[in-house]
Amino acid sequence: MLLTFKIIIVLLLLYMGFNLFKALFIMLRNDPNKPPMSRYLGRRVALAALALVLIIIAASVGWLPLNPRPY
């Protein structure tokens, strides 16, 4: 279960990076016929929020072992 969870988080991070670079290329080309840059940046923010929620849920359920003492 832990390996599957880690793979999902890594795939979300890779897709966030893809959307970030897609927004960069849209910004540099400035083509009015293409979708706006905010579309891809909004997807990136939504996926970051989803990844954060998944990490919090996994930590509370016990799928993601946390360090009990940080020192």
Side-chain angles (χ1 to χ4, degrees), residues 1-6 8 54-66:
M1 187 59 128
L2 181 62
L3 182 63
T4 306
F5 178 73
K6 287 181 181 180
I8 290 171
L54 286 176
I55 290 171
I56 290 172
I57 289 172
S60 66
V61 172
W63 294 343
L64 189 62
L66 299 177

Side-chain angles (χ1 to χ4, degrees), residues 66-71:
L66 299 177
N67 188 6
R69 300 183 75 176
Y71 50 87

Side-chain angles (χ1 to χ4, degrees), residues 4-44:
T4 306
F5 178 73
K6 287 181 181 180
I7 290 172
I8 290 171
I9 293 297
V10 167
L11 289 176
L12 279 173
L13 291 173
L14 288 174
Y15 192 62
M16 281 192 291
F18 171 75
N19 279 320
L20 187 63
F21 282 107
K22 186 74 172 170
L24 173 71
F25 291 128
I26 294 283
M27 179 181 69
L28 291 175
R29 290 190 184 152
N30 199 13
D31 187 10
N33 297 329
K34 297 282 182 175
M37 179 180 64
S38 61
R39 176 179 179 183
Y40 297 104
L41 292 177
R43 283 184 188 170
R44 181 183 165 266

